Amino acid sequence: MSSDDDMPLARANGHLSADKISKAEDRAMDIDSDVELLPAPLSIRHGPIDDDDDAPLVNGHGKRKSRSSTGNVNYNESDGEARRSTKRQRKAVADDSDSDVPIKNKIRAKLPPAAEETAVAEDSDDDIPLNRKLVNKRKSIDKAAEKEAKALAKKPTPKKAAKEESDDDDEPLAGAKGRRRSVNGTNGKAKTNGVKKEDSDSDTPMRKKPKTATPKATPKAAVKAAAKATPKGKVKAEPATSGKKAAAKKVKKELSEDPADAEDDDEEEHRWWEQAKSDDSVKWLKLEHNGVLFPPEYEVLPKSVKLLYDGKPVNLHVDAEEVAGFFGAMLNSTHNVENPVFQKNFFTDFKDVLKRTGGAKDQQGNKVDIKDFAKLDFQRIFDYYQGKSEAKKARSKDEKAAEKAEKDKLEAPFMFCKWDGRKEKVGNFRVEPPGLFRGRGEHPKTGKVKLRVTPEQITINIGKDAQVPRPPDGHKWKTVQHDNKATWLAMWQENINGAYKYVMLGAQSTVKGQADLKKFEKARELKKHIGKIRKDYERDLKADAMADRQRATAVYLIDKFALRAGNEKDAENEAETVGCCSLKFEHVTLREPNTVIFDFLGKDSIRFYDEVTVDRQVFKNLRVFKKSPKKEGDDIFDRLTTSQLNKHLSNYMPGLTAKVFRTYNASFTMQKLLNEVKNEDRTIAEKIKLYNDCNREVAILCNHKRTVGASHEAQMEKLGDRIRGLKYQVWRNKQMMLDLDSKLKKKKGAAFFELEADLDEAWILEHQTFLVEEQRTKIQKKFEKDNQKLQEGGEKIMPDKELKERLKDADELAKKFKKENKSKKVEAEGKAPTVDKIEANVKKIEERIRTLELQAADRDGNKEVALGTSKINYIDPRLTVVFANKFNVPIEKFFSKTLREKFHWAIKSVGEDNSWQF
């Protein structure tokens, strides 16, 4: 009978690796020691890419093509003005379908930018290659982490915490004497380590979890600083019990139906981050809410609006008409409606609805057999809904305000709940309306009909003593339960994938804040163990056991390149996305001497390309894992699963999973970079750019990058035009100074009054035309707005003659520019102009130019980095608060109103302290 250790521990998918690696095989896979290795570890080309007919060859085989959803992902982080400019300039985007371009060049053009093309916070003006500098930087940060881990390990820990930690922390997992070798974190016996896998980011109900060592919510220094920063009499910290009693008195009144009432309540701030919670399995003691808001019922189409089949209108049952309307309303979404899979799934469901509702009939009442999708014509339906949309946009200001007030009144009862006597904002209280499922990437179920959710499908979770929300007339809830270990208020199962949908509290709620704090504290806890984890996996990279070597290689890739662990998928019902543990033979290409190319469908079904340099041993291991007879479709890590990997990691630290590395690496790196920043005299704009530079470097060093957005060039061009426009203003103002005092040219020098090099005559003429047209548009809009006010007030509107009179100002501006171009002189403008006034104005405009130039440099540097994602999800928000305190920058410059509410706990817990460390 074979030992459990000799059995493959992963899914049996294709050829399996041998359970042991012989020394001869190990030597055969080695790299020539004379070959100079590339700097490692480093991502040298990384990001999502557009896929089309010309896919790169992987291991000599044509890679399965995937329909990239990159086009659907909005990476735009710019303001509204830049977005508008993108629309105007869409026609300027080059068509890459030119058949004369070599295929190899086309493929190259589609790949993400290389590391040396990526902007880094630090300017490189020496002879050290950028890639080498990045690797050196990364290694210095890793060394600092190891040093800090050793220092933390020397500190005495409380006895309680020591009991809850594994007793084997100082013993190699694979080499413990006196017991069986642990493979992938599991022994022969099905024994658990007492730690349940946690996923604070998921939408699943939070069930009871085993008790773990409770981390301190806030360092003492930070709490003291926060208390010190609070003015006397403003917020008084009280014991938890008295706080609850005070809150209990206030909740006797009914739930407010007006969100404003909830915000204006004089409730004392709940400083939950200052209260140690011994048992976090019980989420609430009292819970009241008003249930969910259902979407409006379907409005039947006018009799004149019909679906056409084979050119003839057909009559449908109301249910079938609604489904036809789903498709007809989205004809402008060509990415979906022209997708064959989308069409096939829709048509299958549409025919099922027709069959259930009696089918389609012609105008004479005869049955029409709809069996060919190509004969369906939804144009009339599309035109009807487009007309409704245009009419909605054209409503008057008062009509829009009245409709908004009605909508707010309808939603008000659902916006807040009472959670242990406190008012908390509910996040997603609306039941999703019926429609067509789109999915992400190449989802096999895209186009299927999402059915209308009824109260009979919905489970309500509420306090035992609370009044149960009343369902719509004629309906009843599926069940009502009182589970105080769950954080959701309502749930139901959708019909497409059988997934459960949950109504949860908003991002700024206490329970969400606690989950965020727990996530970042877990990452801080990893600081104590990172040194040992890295030491162990570096040792196991050379292990004889295949399972140990695969596990060590996977942890290396997750730690160094922020690869997601990955989970197995049901390929027939889910998009086949990939992570580290589920990589297949065709997803990894090896290029001598030590470059690894990952190419697969990643999170959100986006095809991801990651070209990295790895350490010598890791490259050799991947050669072993891909060794013949393995072929396409076979798993690379065939003796490792995500659950086994996380089980292994939890032996180092309770609750440690692969995704904690992303948070730890990002936050620790950000901390080290911010510590290097000197507090010098800088403008607010310069300080913001400095912060973004650090954030950007975190993304590069921790491999959190993206492709350049399609609209980036248009945005940069728009910003460049704004800068040039201001430079033109500066030049005109300086010419006005000469108009007032011609001797200034001698005093200040001719160079002071010269035109900037990037302002040529052609651009100036184009800009002047733009300024004249801009003024015409403003005058036109002002005239229309004034007339609308007169009409709403019952007064007589102004005639067109008045508009013509007003437009003369634009004509005068055009004449002025023409005169200036001819004479090369600019007359001083304004009331009683003086040289001092105009010079002061020049300085103001030049300051605006500097600010915009910083923004342009920042935006261009961010083109491969989604700063918002790393700032919100991976970098501890307390680091941002500390930076704001240290450099005296308003927190509003880094966090929007929504983020300030989400990270309220971080802002308050740090207070005015600028010494808090991750």
Side-chain angles (χ1 to χ4, degrees), residues 42-46 108 111-120 130-131 134 609 611 700 705 708 863-864:
L42 179 70
S43 173
I44 55 178
R45 191 181 294 278
H46 174 105
R108 178 75 180 176
L111 293 179
E116 59 265 22
E117 301 165 21
T118 304
V120 188
L130 179 58
N131 285 2
L134 288 170
Y609 183 96
E611 195 171 315
I700 294 166
K705 294 163 65 184
V708 180
K863 62 187 176 186
E864 291 110 24

Side-chain angles (χ1 to χ4, degrees), residues 399-432:
E399 286 174 324
K400 289 178 181 177
E403 187 171 323
K404 186 179 182 302
E406 187 65 30
K407 180 173 173 282
D408 289 345
K409 185 179 178 182
L410 182 67
E411 294 179 348
F414 306 96
M415 290 186 74
F416 291 87
C417 72
K418 282 186 179 177
W419 187 285
D420 282 344
R422 302 184 311 275
K423 269 196 178 153
E424 298 274 12
K425 198 165 186 177
V426 181
N428 52 337
F429 53 82
R430 300 172 192 83
V431 174
E432 191 175 1

Side-chain angles (χ1 to χ4, degrees), residues 589-657:
T589 302
L590 305 177
R591 188 170 68 205
E592 298 285 359
N594 62 324
T595 299
V596 180
I597 300 170
F598 298 103
D599 192 352
F600 54 83
L601 277 183
K603 187 181 178 185
D604 295 342
S605 300
I606 296 172
R607 184 180 168 202
F608 216 76
Y609 183 96
D610 198 356
E611 195 171 315
V612 304
T613 55
V614 297
D615 292 333
R616 180 192 193 95
Q617 187 63 40
V618 174
F619 188 83
K620 183 169 86 168
N621 287 352
L622 290 171
R623 292 179 74 177
V624 172
F625 305 158
K626 290 191 60 147
K627 182 189 169 192
S628 180
K630 280 196 179 180
K631 57 181 177 43
E632 283 194 25
D634 292 347
D635 294 314
I636 287 182
F637 295 99
D638 52 68
R639 290 179 175 270
L640 181 69
T641 63
T642 304
S643 57
Q644 289 166 351
L645 177 65
N646 287 333
K647 177 78 172 176
H648 164 74
L649 293 174
S650 67
N651 284 311
Y652 290 98
M653 177 185 127
L656 178 61
T657 60

Side-chain angles (χ1 to χ4, degrees), residues 79-182:
D79 55 23
E81 185 178 1
R83 280 197 293 271
R84 288 194 297 275
S85 71
T86 304
K87 290 182 180 177
R88 286 200 300 272
Q89 300 187 33
R90 184 173 292 172
K91 62 185 179 182
V93 177
D95 183 3
D96 63 359
S97 62
D98 187 355
S99 58
D100 295 329
V101 179
I103 290 176
K104 189 175 179 182
N105 292 351
K106 278 184 170 185
I107 296 169
R108 178 75 180 176
K110 290 184 179 69
L111 293 179
E116 59 265 22
E117 301 165 21
T118 304
V120 188
E122 184 179 348
D123 292 329
S124 180
D125 54 1
D126 53 28
D127 295 328
I128 302 174
L130 179 58
N131 285 2
R132 175 63 67 185
K133 290 191 81 172
L134 288 170
V135 168
N136 291 344
K137 186 91 169 179
R138 177 69 182 263
K139 287 183 176 178
S140 70
I141 290 172
D142 287 350
K143 201 169 183 180
E146 188 180 346
K147 188 176 179 181
E148 189 164 334
K150 286 180 181 177
L152 289 168
K154 289 178 182 177
K155 292 182 180 178
T157 53
K159 285 185 180 180
K160 185 179 178 182
K163 283 181 183 178
E164 291 174 359
E165 292 281 349
S166 168
D167 294 332
D168 306 315
D169 271 358
D170 297 323
E171 182 181 3
L173 293 171
K177 293 183 179 179
R179 59 191 175 96
R180 180 184 273 171
R181 177 180 61 81
S182 170

Side-chain angles (χ1 to χ4, degrees), residues 656-676:
L656 178 61
T657 60
K659 68 179 183 177
V660 180
F661 283 87
R662 295 171 71 87
T663 309
Y664 162 77
N665 280 323
S667 295
F668 187 83
T669 304
M670 187 69 164
Q671 177 71 80
K672 292 301 173 189
L673 293 174
L674 292 180
N675 285 348
E676 293 171 9

Side-chain angles (χ1 to χ4, degrees), residues 485-589:
K485 293 173 185 175
T487 59
W488 51 270
L489 313 183
M491 76 166 201
W492 62 91
Q493 191 174 19
E494 52 87 24
N495 67 293
I496 302 293
N497 299 307
Y500 287 93
K501 300 284 185 177
Y502 296 89
V503 174
M504 313 285 282
L505 296 192
Q508 65 273 53
S509 64
T510 298
V511 69
K512 292 285 187 181
Q514 287 169 338
D516 279 342
L517 175 60
K518 189 175 182 180
K519 177 177 82 171
F520 290 114
E521 285 299 313
K522 192 181 288 182
R524 291 182 80 204
E525 179 71 14
L526 179 55
K527 285 197 304 181
K528 301 175 185 176
H529 310 279
I530 193 67
K532 177 167 174 51
I533 292 171
R534 287 174 177 165
K535 185 178 178 182
D536 283 357
Y537 77 61
E538 284 168 7
R539 179 201 64 219
D540 287 344
L541 286 172
K542 298 179 181 179
D544 293 335
M546 180 67 77
D548 289 345
R549 194 178 286 206
Q550 286 191 3
R551 184 190 64 226
T553 305
V555 178
Y556 172 95
L557 296 175
I558 288 166
D559 183 25
K560 301 300 183 185
F561 302 111
L563 261 64
R564 287 182 168 83
N567 291 300
E568 293 177 73
K569 299 279 183 180
D570 174 4
E572 290 190 12
N573 297 314
E574 297 179 86
E576 195 177 353
T577 58
V578 175
C580 185
C581 296
S582 51
L583 285 167
K584 297 191 184 302
F585 182 92
E586 62 269 24
H587 297 144
V588 177
T589 302

